[in-house]
Amino acid sequence: MPHYTVHIGEDALDGKVEPRLIAALSDAVGSVFGERFRTLVGVDLIGIPRHRRGIGGLPTDRIAPLVTLSMREAAYHLPEVPDAPARLIAATADAMASVLGEGIRTETIVSIEGVPAGRTGVAGEVA
C-alpha cells in the first residue's frame, strides 16, 4: 500500500486543507500508477508547532513540508511505469502546490522510500 507521511507546519492545517491534501496526494499516485492504486493510498498529516520546527539551526514559522512516500520497492521498477520515482516526486510536489499554493513548491522536500520484498505485512502476515 502506498503511504504518505507529511510533516508540515501546524499553521497550514486549518480543517479545510486536510481533505484537499489527502485527495491531491492520492491523485498523485493515481496519475503515475493508475486509478486502482489511488484507492490504496494512505496519508498521515502531521502538524508541527512553530516552536518545534527549525531550518538552518533556527526556529522557523515556515510551512516547509517534508513529504515521504513509502511503498514496495518493486513498484518503482515496473516496466509499464517508466521513471516512476521521478514521476512520483514531480506529481507529489504538484499536489502540494495545488493545495497550498505555488510558493510552497520551493520548500517542499519529497522523499521516496522503497520497502524490500518480505518487509511489509497486513493483518500480522507478511505481504
Side-chain angles (χ1 to χ4, degrees), residues 8 12 55 62-65 93-109:
I8 188 168
I55 297 176
R62 290 165 38 195
I63 295 172
D94 289 347
M96 297 299 292
S98 75
V99 174
L100 297 171
E102 193 58 40
I104 199 67
R105 186 181 299 275
T106 59
E107 293 194 338
T108 300
I109 297 171

Side-chain angles (χ1 to χ4, degrees), residues 1-8 25 29 41-46 53 64-71 76 88-89 92-93 96 108-115:
M1 171 188 337
H3 183 261
Y4 278 106
T5 304
V6 180
H7 291 87
I8 188 168
L25 291 169
V29 172
V41 177
V43 178
D44 290 328
L45 303 174
I46 302 169
R53 169 157 275 197
L66 171 60
V67 184
T68 304
L69 174 61
S70 176
M71 57 193 292
Y76 300 126
L88 285 165
I89 290 169
T92 299
M96 297 299 292
T108 300
I109 297 171
V110 179
S111 176
I112 304 291
E113 296 180 351
V115 180

Side-chain angles (χ1 to χ4, degrees), residues 36-51:
R36 187 175 68 88
F37 265 76
R38 182 197 184 286
T39 64
L40 302 174
V41 177
V43 178
D44 290 328
L45 303 174
I46 302 169
I48 301 174
R50 287 183 201 199
H51 64 281

